[in-house]
Amino acid sequence: MLFDIEVKISLKSGMLNPEATTIERSLALLGYEVKNAKTVDIIKFQMEGEDREVIRENVVDMCERLLCNPVIHNYKINVIPQNTACGK
């Protein structure tokens, strides 16, 4: 079975986010007032396997070892089996 994987990575609360600060300042220069901007990186890929939980555990390992820094980042994982639409 093929799974679509989506990992959303964001900075933990209290961490400096220079990218979001730059966005806020740039939007202010364009006349828009924005508060509390946050940035999120989204990584999408596919994995093959039979057990959704095993796939999820593998993705957690990927996040902890490579995709993010668990000291400063939070991450959310979505594991979606393909062909789950009605009639398939």
Coordinates of all heavy atoms in Angstrom, one line a residue:
M1 N 0.9 -1.2 0.0 CA 0.0 0.0 0.0 C 0.9 1.2 0.0 O 1.9 1.3 0.7 CB -0.9 0.0 1.2 CG -1.8 1.2 1.3 SD -2.9 1.2 2.8 CE -4.0 -0.1 2.4
L2 N 0.5 2.2 -0.7 CA 1.2 3.5 -0.8 C 0.5 4.5 0.1 O -0.7 4.7 0.1 CB 1.2 4.0 -2.3 CG 2.2 5.0 -2.6 CD1 3.6 4.5 -2.4 CD2 2.1 5.4 -4.1
F3 N 1.4 5.3 0.9 CA 0.9 6.3 1.8 C 1.4 7.7 1.4 O 2.6 7.8 1.0 CB 1.4 6.0 3.2 CG 0.7 4.8 3.8 CD1 1.3 3.5 3.7 CD2 -0.4 4.9 4.6 CE1 0.8 2.4 4.2 CE2 -1.0 3.8 5.1 CZ -0.4 2.5 5.0
D4 N 0.6 8.7 1.4 CA 1.0 10.1 1.3 C 1.4 10.6 2.6 O 0.7 10.4 3.6 CB -0.1 10.9 0.7 CG -0.4 10.6 -0.8 OD1 0.6 10.3 -1.5 OD2 -1.6 10.7 -1.1
I5 N 2.6 11.1 2.8 CA 3.1 11.6 4.0 C 3.2 13.2 3.9 O 3.7 13.7 2.9 CB 4.5 11.1 4.4 CG1 4.6 9.6 4.1 CG2 5.0 11.5 5.7 CD1 3.7 8.8 5.0
E6 N 2.8 13.8 5.0 CA 2.9 15.3 5.1 C 3.5 15.6 6.5 O 2.9 15.2 7.5 CB 1.6 16.0 4.9 CG 1.7 17.5 4.9 CD 0.4 18.2 4.7 OE1 -0.4 18.3 5.7 OE2 0.1 18.5 3.6
V7 N 4.6 16.3 6.5 CA 5.2 16.7 7.8 C 5.2 18.2 7.8 O 5.8 18.9 6.9 CB 6.7 16.2 7.9 CG1 7.3 16.6 9.2 CG2 6.7 14.7 7.7
K8 N 4.6 18.8 8.8 CA 4.6 20.3 9.0 C 5.5 20.6 10.2 O 5.4 20.1 11.3 CB 3.2 20.8 9.4 CG 2.2 20.6 8.2 CD 0.9 21.2 8.6 CE -0.1 21.0 7.5 NZ -1.5 21.5 7.8
I9 N 6.5 21.4 9.9 CA 7.6 21.8 10.9 C 7.5 23.2 11.2 O 7.5 24.1 10.3 CB 9.0 21.4 10.3 CG1 9.0 19.9 10.0 CG2 10.0 21.8 11.4 CD1 10.3 19.5 9.2
S10 N 7.4 23.5 12.5 CA 7.3 24.9 12.9 C 8.2 25.1 14.1 O 8.6 24.2 14.8 CB 5.9 25.3 13.3 OG 5.4 24.5 14.4
L11 N 8.6 26.4 14.4 CA 9.4 26.7 15.6 C 8.6 26.6 16.8 O 7.4 26.9 16.8 CB 10.0 28.1 15.5 CG 11.1 28.2 14.4 CD1 11.4 29.7 14.2 CD2 12.4 27.5 14.9
K12 N 9.2 26.1 17.9 CA 8.5 26.1 19.2 C 8.2 27.5 19.7 O 8.9 28.4 19.3 CB 9.4 25.3 20.2 CG 9.4 23.8 20.0 CD 10.2 23.1 21.0 CE 10.1 21.6 20.8 NZ 10.8 20.8 21.9
S13 N 7.3 27.6 20.5 CA 6.9 28.9 21.1 C 8.1 29.4 21.9 O 8.8 28.7 22.6 CB 5.8 28.7 22.1 OG 5.4 29.9 22.7
G14 N 8.4 30.7 21.7 CA 9.5 31.4 22.3 C 10.7 31.5 21.5 O 11.7 32.2 21.9
M15 N 10.8 30.7 20.4 CA 12.0 30.7 19.5 C 11.9 31.9 18.6 O 10.8 32.3 18.1 CB 12.1 29.4 18.7 CG 12.2 28.2 19.5 SD 13.6 28.1 20.7 CE 15.0 28.3 19.7
L16 N 13.0 32.6 18.4 CA 13.0 33.7 17.4 C 12.8 33.2 16.0 O 13.3 32.1 15.6 CB 14.4 34.4 17.5 CG 14.8 35.1 18.8 CD1 16.2 35.7 18.7 CD2 13.7 36.2 19.1
N17 N 12.0 33.9 15.3 CA 11.6 33.6 13.9 C 11.9 34.7 13.0 O 11.0 35.5 12.7 CB 10.1 33.2 13.9 CG 9.7 32.5 12.6 OD1 10.4 32.7 11.5 ND2 8.7 31.8 12.6
P18 N 13.1 34.9 12.6 CA 13.5 36.1 11.7 C 12.7 36.1 10.4 O 12.4 37.2 9.9 CB 15.0 35.9 11.5 CG 15.3 34.6 11.9 CD 14.3 34.1 12.8
E19 N 12.4 35.0 9.9 CA 11.6 35.0 8.6 C 10.2 35.6 8.8 O 9.8 36.4 8.0 CB 11.5 33.5 8.1 CG 10.8 33.4 6.8 CD 10.8 32.0 6.3 OE1 10.8 31.0 7.1 OE2 10.6 31.8 5.0
A20 N 9.5 35.2 9.9 CA 8.2 35.7 10.2 C 8.3 37.2 10.5 O 7.4 38.0 10.1 CB 7.6 35.0 11.4
T21 N 9.3 37.6 11.2 CA 9.5 39.1 11.5 C 9.7 39.9 10.2 O 9.1 40.9 10.1 CB 10.8 39.2 12.4 OG1 10.5 38.5 13.6 CG2 11.0 40.7 12.8
T22 N 10.5 39.3 9.3 CA 10.7 40.0 8.0 C 9.4 40.1 7.2 O 9.1 41.2 6.6 CB 11.7 39.2 7.2 OG1 13.0 39.2 7.9 CG2 11.9 39.9 5.8
I23 N 8.6 39.1 7.3 CA 7.3 39.1 6.6 C 6.4 40.2 7.2 O 5.8 41.0 6.5 CB 6.6 37.7 6.7 CG1 7.4 36.7 5.8 CG2 5.1 37.8 6.3 CD1 7.0 35.3 6.0
E24 N 6.3 40.2 8.5 CA 5.5 41.3 9.2 C 5.9 42.7 8.8 O 5.1 43.5 8.5 CB 5.6 41.1 10.7 CG 4.8 40.0 11.3 CD 4.8 39.9 12.8 OE1 5.4 40.8 13.4 OE2 4.3 39.0 13.4
R25 N 7.3 42.9 8.8 CA 7.8 44.2 8.5 C 7.5 44.6 7.0 O 7.2 45.7 6.7 CB 9.3 44.3 8.8 CG 9.6 44.3 10.3 CD 11.1 44.4 10.5 NE 11.4 44.3 11.9 CZ 12.5 44.0 12.4 NH1 13.5 43.6 11.6 NH2 12.7 44.0 13.7
S26 N 7.7 43.6 6.1 CA 7.5 43.9 4.7 C 6.0 44.2 4.4 O 5.7 45.1 3.6 CB 8.0 42.7 3.9 OG 9.3 42.5 4.1
L27 N 5.1 43.4 5.1 CA 3.7 43.7 4.9 C 3.3 45.0 5.4 O 2.5 45.7 4.9 CB 2.9 42.5 5.5 CG 2.9 41.2 4.8 CD1 2.2 40.1 5.6 CD2 2.3 41.3 3.4
A28 N 3.9 45.4 6.5 CA 3.7 46.8 7.1 C 4.1 47.9 6.1 O 3.4 48.9 6.0 CB 4.4 46.9 8.4
L29 N 5.2 47.7 5.4 CA 5.6 48.6 4.4 C 4.6 48.7 3.2 O 4.5 49.7 2.6 CB 7.0 48.2 3.9 CG 8.2 48.4 4.8 CD1 9.4 47.8 4.3 CD2 8.3 49.9 5.2
L30 N 3.9 47.6 3.0 CA 2.9 47.6 2.0 C 1.5 48.1 2.5 O 0.6 48.1 1.7 CB 2.7 46.2 1.4 CG 3.9 45.7 0.6 CD1 3.7 44.2 0.3 CD2 4.2 46.5 -0.6
G31 N 1.5 48.5 3.7 CA 0.2 49.0 4.3 C -0.6 48.0 5.0 O -1.8 48.3 5.4
Y32 N -0.1 46.8 5.2 CA -0.9 45.8 5.9 C -0.4 45.6 7.4 O 0.8 45.4 7.5 CB -0.9 44.4 5.2 CG -1.4 44.5 3.8 CD1 -0.5 44.6 2.7 CD2 -2.8 44.5 3.6 CE1 -1.0 44.6 1.4 CE2 -3.2 44.5 2.3 CZ -2.4 44.6 1.2 OH -2.8 44.7 -0.1
E33 N -1.3 45.6 8.3 CA -0.8 45.4 9.7 C -1.1 43.9 10.0 O -2.2 43.4 10.0 CB -1.6 46.3 10.7 CG -1.1 47.7 10.7 CD 0.4 47.8 11.1 OE1 0.9 47.1 12.0 OE2 1.1 48.6 10.4
V34 N 0.0 43.2 10.3 CA -0.1 41.7 10.6 C 0.6 41.5 12.0 O 1.7 42.1 12.2 CB 0.6 40.9 9.5 CG1 0.6 39.5 9.9 CG2 -0.1 41.1 8.2
K35 N 0.0 40.7 12.8 CA 0.6 40.4 14.1 C 0.8 38.9 14.2 O 0.0 38.1 13.7 CB -0.3 40.9 15.2 CG -0.6 42.4 15.2 CD 0.6 43.2 15.6 CE 0.2 44.7 15.6 NZ 1.3 45.5 15.6
N36 N 1.8 38.5 15.0 CA 2.1 37.1 15.3 C 2.2 36.2 14.1 O 1.7 35.1 14.1 CB 1.0 36.6 16.2 CG 0.9 37.4 17.5 OD1 1.9 37.7 18.1 ND2 -0.3 37.7 18.0
A37 N 2.9 36.7 13.1 CA 3.1 35.8 11.9 C 4.0 34.6 12.3 O 4.9 34.7 13.2 CB 3.8 36.6 10.8
K38 N 3.7 33.5 11.7 CA 4.5 32.3 11.9 C 4.8 31.6 10.6 O 4.0 31.8 9.7 CB 3.7 31.3 12.8 CG 3.5 31.9 14.2 CD 2.7 30.9 15.1 CE 2.5 31.6 16.4 NZ 1.7 30.9 17.3
T39 N 5.9 30.9 10.5 CA 6.2 30.2 9.3 C 6.2 28.7 9.6 O 6.5 28.3 10.7 CB 7.6 30.6 8.7 OG1 8.6 30.4 9.7 CG2 7.6 32.1 8.3
V40 N 5.8 28.0 8.6 CA 5.7 26.5 8.7 C 6.3 25.9 7.4 O 6.0 26.4 6.3 CB 4.3 26.0 8.8 CG1 4.2 24.5 8.8 CG2 3.6 26.6 10.0
D41 N 7.2 25.0 7.6 CA 7.7 24.2 6.4 C 6.9 23.0 6.3 O 6.6 22.3 7.3 CB 9.2 23.8 6.7 CG 10.1 25.0 6.7 OD1 9.9 26.0 5.9 OD2 11.1 25.0 7.4
I42 N 6.5 22.7 5.1 CA 5.7 21.4 4.8 C 6.6 20.6 3.8 O 7.0 21.0 2.8 CB 4.4 21.8 4.1 CG1 3.6 22.6 5.1 CG2 3.6 20.5 3.8 CD1 2.3 23.2 4.5
I43 N 6.8 19.3 4.3 CA 7.5 18.4 3.5 C 6.5 17.3 3.1 O 5.9 16.7 4.0 CB 8.7 17.8 4.2 CG1 9.6 18.9 4.7 CG2 9.4 16.7 3.4 CD1 10.7 18.5 5.6
K44 N 6.4 17.0 1.8 CA 5.5 15.9 1.3 C 6.3 14.8 0.6 O 7.2 15.2 -0.2 CB 4.4 16.5 0.4 CG 3.5 17.4 1.1 CD 2.4 17.9 0.2 CE 1.4 18.8 0.8 NZ 0.3 19.1 0.0
F45 N 5.9 13.6 0.8 CA 6.5 12.5 0.1 C 5.7 11.3 0.2 O 4.6 11.3 0.9 CB 8.0 12.2 0.6 CG 8.1 12.0 2.1 CD1 8.1 10.7 2.6 CD2 8.3 13.0 3.0 CE1 8.2 10.5 4.0 CE2 8.4 12.8 4.3 CZ 8.4 11.5 4.8
Q46 N 6.0 10.2 -0.4 CA 5.3 8.9 -0.3 C 6.1 7.8 0.2 O 7.4 7.8 0.0 CB 4.7 8.6 -1.7 CG 3.7 9.5 -2.3 CD 3.3 9.2 -3.6 OE1 4.0 8.6 -4.4 NE2 2.0 9.5 -4.0
M47 N 5.5 6.9 0.9 CA 6.2 5.7 1.4 C 5.3 4.5 1.1 O 4.1 4.6 1.1 CB 6.5 5.8 2.9 CG 7.5 6.8 3.2 SD 7.9 6.9 5.0 CE 8.8 5.3 5.2
E48 N 6.0 3.4 0.9 CA 5.2 2.1 0.7 C 5.4 1.2 1.9 O 6.4 1.2 2.6 CB 5.8 1.4 -0.5 CG 4.9 0.4 -1.1 CD 5.3 -0.1 -2.5 OE1 5.8 0.7 -3.2 OE2 5.1 -1.3 -2.7
G49 N 4.3 0.6 2.3 CA 4.3 -0.3 3.4 C 2.9 -0.9 3.7 O 1.9 -0.5 3.0
E50 N 2.8 -1.8 4.6 CA 1.5 -2.4 4.9 C 0.8 -1.9 6.2 O -0.4 -1.9 6.3 CB 1.6 -3.9 5.0 CG 2.0 -4.6 3.7 CD 1.0 -4.3 2.6 OE1 -0.2 -4.3 2.8 OE2 1.5 -4.0 1.4
D51 N 1.7 -1.4 7.1 CA 1.2 -1.0 8.4 C 1.3 0.5 8.6 O 2.5 1.0 8.6 CB 1.9 -1.7 9.5 CG 1.4 -1.5 10.9 OD1 0.7 -0.5 11.2 OD2 1.6 -2.4 11.8
R52 N 0.2 1.2 8.8 CA 0.2 2.7 8.9 C 1.1 3.1 10.1 O 1.8 4.1 10.1 CB -1.2 3.2 9.0 CG -1.4 4.6 9.0 CD -2.8 5.0 9.1 NE -3.1 6.4 8.9 CZ -4.2 6.9 8.6 NH1 -5.3 6.1 8.5 NH2 -4.3 8.2 8.4
E53 N 1.0 2.4 11.2 CA 1.7 2.8 12.4 C 3.2 2.6 12.2 O 4.0 3.4 12.8 CB 1.2 2.0 13.6 CG 0.0 2.6 14.3 CD 0.2 4.1 14.6 OE1 1.1 4.4 15.3 OE2 -0.7 4.8 14.2
V54 N 3.6 1.6 11.5 CA 5.1 1.4 11.3 C 5.6 2.5 10.4 O 6.6 3.1 10.6 CB 5.3 0.0 10.6 CG1 6.8 -0.1 10.1 CG2 5.0 -1.1 11.5
I55 N 4.8 2.9 9.4 CA 5.1 4.1 8.5 C 5.3 5.3 9.4 O 6.3 6.1 9.3 CB 4.1 4.3 7.4 CG1 4.0 3.1 6.5 CG2 4.3 5.6 6.7 CD1 5.2 3.0 5.6
R56 N 4.3 5.5 10.3 CA 4.3 6.7 11.1 C 5.6 6.7 12.0 O 6.2 7.7 12.2 CB 3.1 6.8 12.0 CG 3.0 8.0 12.9 CD 1.7 8.1 13.6 NE 1.6 9.3 14.4 CZ 1.6 10.5 14.0 NH1 1.6 10.8 12.7 NH2 1.5 11.5 14.9
E57 N 5.9 5.6 12.6 CA 7.1 5.5 13.5 C 8.4 5.8 12.7 O 9.3 6.5 13.2 CB 7.2 4.1 14.1 CG 6.2 3.8 15.1 CD 6.2 2.4 15.6 OE1 7.1 1.6 15.2 OE2 5.2 2.0 16.3
N58 N 8.4 5.3 11.4 CA 9.6 5.6 10.5 C 9.7 7.1 10.3 O 10.8 7.7 10.3 CB 9.5 4.9 9.2 CG 9.8 3.4 9.4 OD1 10.5 3.0 10.3 ND2 9.2 2.6 8.5
V59 N 8.5 7.8 10.0 CA 8.5 9.2 9.8 C 9.0 10.0 11.0 O 9.7 11.0 10.9 CB 7.2 9.7 9.2 CG1 7.2 11.2 9.0 CG2 6.9 9.0 7.9
V60 N 8.5 9.6 12.2 CA 9.0 10.2 13.4 C 10.5 10.1 13.5 O 11.2 11.1 13.9 CB 8.3 9.5 14.7 CG1 9.0 10.0 16.0 CG2 6.8 9.9 14.7
D61 N 11.0 8.9 13.2 CA 12.5 8.7 13.3 C 13.2 9.7 12.3 O 14.2 10.3 12.6 CB 12.8 7.3 13.0 CG 14.3 7.0 13.2 OD1 14.8 7.3 14.2 OD2 14.9 6.4 12.2
M62 N 12.6 9.8 11.1 CA 13.1 10.8 10.1 C 13.2 12.2 10.6 O 14.1 12.9 10.4 CB 12.3 10.8 8.8 CG 12.4 9.5 8.0 SD 11.2 9.7 6.6 CE 11.1 8.0 6.1
C63 N 12.1 12.6 11.3 CA 12.0 13.9 11.8 C 13.0 14.2 12.9 O 13.7 15.2 12.9 CB 10.6 14.2 12.4 SG 9.3 14.3 11.2
E64 N 13.2 13.2 13.8 CA 14.1 13.3 14.9 C 15.5 13.3 14.5 O 16.4 13.9 15.1 CB 13.9 12.2 15.9 CG 12.5 12.1 16.6 CD 12.3 13.2 17.6 OE1 13.3 13.5 18.3 OE2 11.2 13.7 17.8
R65 N 15.8 12.6 13.4 CA 17.2 12.4 13.0 C 17.7 13.4 11.9 O 18.9 13.7 11.7 CB 17.4 11.0 12.5 CG 17.3 10.0 13.6 CD 17.4 8.6 13.2 NE 18.8 8.3 12.7 CZ 19.1 7.3 12.0 NH1 18.2 6.4 11.7 NH2 20.3 7.1 11.6
L66 N 16.7 13.9 11.0 CA 17.1 14.7 9.9 C 16.3 15.9 9.6 O 16.8 16.9 9.3 CB 17.2 13.8 8.6 CG 17.6 14.5 7.3 CD1 19.0 14.9 7.4 CD2 17.3 13.6 6.1
L67 N 15.0 15.7 9.5 CA 14.1 16.7 9.0 C 13.9 17.9 9.9 O 13.6 19.0 9.4 CB 12.7 16.1 8.7 CG 12.7 15.0 7.6 CD1 11.3 14.4 7.5 CD2 13.3 15.4 6.3
C68 N 14.1 17.8 11.2 CA 14.0 19.0 12.0 C 14.9 18.8 13.2 O 15.5 17.7 13.5 CB 12.5 19.2 12.5 SG 11.9 17.9 13.6
N69 N 15.0 19.9 14.0 CA 15.8 19.9 15.2 C 14.8 19.8 16.4 O 14.1 20.9 16.7 CB 16.6 21.1 15.3 CG 17.5 21.2 16.6 OD1 17.2 20.5 17.5 ND2 18.4 22.1 16.6
P70 N 14.6 18.7 17.0 CA 13.6 18.6 18.1 C 13.8 19.5 19.3 O 12.8 19.8 20.0 CB 13.7 17.1 18.6 CG 14.5 16.4 17.6 CD 15.3 17.4 16.8
V71 N 14.9 20.1 19.4 CA 15.1 21.1 20.5 C 14.4 22.4 20.2 O 13.8 23.0 21.1 CB 16.7 21.4 20.6 CG1 16.9 22.5 21.6 CG2 17.4 20.1 21.1
I72 N 14.3 22.8 18.9 CA 13.7 24.1 18.6 C 12.4 24.0 17.7 O 11.7 25.0 17.5 CB 14.7 25.0 17.9 CG1 15.2 24.5 16.5 CG2 15.9 25.3 18.8 CD1 15.9 25.5 15.7
H73 N 12.1 22.8 17.2 CA 11.0 22.6 16.3 C 9.9 21.7 16.9 O 10.2 20.7 17.6 CB 11.4 22.0 15.0 CG 12.3 22.9 14.1 ND1 13.6 22.5 13.8 CD2 12.1 24.1 13.6 CE1 14.1 23.5 13.0 NE2 13.2 24.4 12.9
N74 N 8.7 22.0 16.5 CA 7.6 21.1 16.7 C 7.3 20.5 15.3 O 7.5 21.2 14.3 CB 6.3 21.8 17.2 CG 6.4 22.2 18.6 OD1 7.0 21.5 19.4 ND2 5.9 23.4 18.9
Y75 N 6.7 19.3 15.2 CA 6.3 18.8 13.9 C 5.0 18.0 14.1 O 4.7 17.5 15.1 CB 7.4 17.9 13.3 CG 7.9 16.8 14.1 CD1 7.2 15.5 14.1 CD2 8.9 16.9 15.0 CE1 7.7 14.5 14.8 CE2 9.4 15.9 15.8 CZ 8.7 14.6 15.7 OH 9.2 13.6 16.4
K76 N 4.2 18.0 13.0 CA 3.0 17.2 12.9 C 3.1 16.4 11.7 O 3.5 16.8 10.6 CB 1.8 18.2 12.8 CG 1.5 18.9 14.1 CD 0.3 19.7 14.0 CE 0.1 20.5 15.3 NZ -1.1 21.3 15.3
I77 N 2.7 15.1 11.9 CA 2.8 14.2 10.8 C 1.4 13.7 10.4 O 0.5 13.4 11.2 CB 3.6 12.9 11.2 CG1 5.0 13.4 11.6 CG2 3.6 11.9 10.1 CD1 5.8 12.3 12.3
N78 N 1.1 13.7 9.1 CA -0.1 13.1 8.5 C 0.3 11.9 7.6 O 1.1 12.1 6.7 CB -0.9 14.1 7.7 CG -1.6 15.1 8.6 OD1 -2.1 14.8 9.7 ND2 -1.7 16.4 8.1
V79 N -0.3 10.8 7.9 CA 0.0 9.6 7.1 C -1.4 9.2 6.5 O -2.3 8.8 7.2 CB 0.5 8.4 7.9 CG1 0.7 7.2 7.1 CG2 1.8 8.8 8.6
I80 N -1.5 9.4 5.2 CA -2.8 9.2 4.5 C -2.7 8.0 3.5 O -1.9 8.2 2.5 CB -3.2 10.5 3.8 CG1 -3.2 11.6 4.8 CG2 -4.5 10.3 3.1 CD1 -3.0 13.0 4.1
P81 N -3.4 6.9 3.7 CA -3.4 5.9 2.7 C -3.9 6.4 1.3 O -4.9 7.1 1.3 CB -4.3 4.8 3.2 CG -4.5 5.2 4.6 CD -4.3 6.6 4.8
Q82 N -3.3 6.0 0.2 CA -3.8 6.4 -1.1 C -5.0 5.5 -1.4 O -5.2 4.4 -0.8 CB -2.7 6.2 -2.1 CG -1.8 7.3 -2.1 CD -0.9 7.4 -3.4 OE1 -0.9 6.5 -4.2 NE2 -0.2 8.5 -3.6
N83 N -5.8 6.0 -2.4 CA -7.0 5.2 -2.8 C -8.0 5.0 -1.7 O -8.6 3.9 -1.6 CB -6.6 3.9 -3.5 CG -5.7 4.1 -4.7 OD1 -5.9 5.0 -5.4 ND2 -4.8 3.1 -4.9
T84 N -8.2 6.0 -0.9 CA -9.2 5.9 0.1 C -10.5 6.6 -0.2 O -11.5 6.6 0.5 CB -8.7 6.5 1.5 OG1 -8.4 7.9 1.2 CG2 -7.5 5.7 2.0
A85 N -10.6 7.1 -1.5 CA -11.8 7.7 -1.9 C -13.0 6.7 -2.1 O -12.7 5.5 -2.3 CB -11.6 8.4 -3.3
C86 N -14.2 7.1 -2.1 CA -15.3 6.2 -2.3 C -15.2 5.5 -3.6 O -14.9 6.0 -4.6 CB -16.6 7.0 -2.3 SG -17.0 7.7 -0.7
G87 N -15.5 4.2 -3.5 CA -15.5 3.4 -4.8 C -14.1 2.9 -5.2 O -14.0 2.2 -6.2
K88 N -13.1 3.1 -4.4 CA -11.8 2.6 -4.7 C -11.3 1.6 -3.7 O -11.6 1.6 -2.6 CB -10.8 3.7 -4.8 CG -11.0 4.6 -6.0 CD -9.9 5.5 -6.3 CE -10.1 6.3 -7.5 NZ -9.0 7.2 -7.9

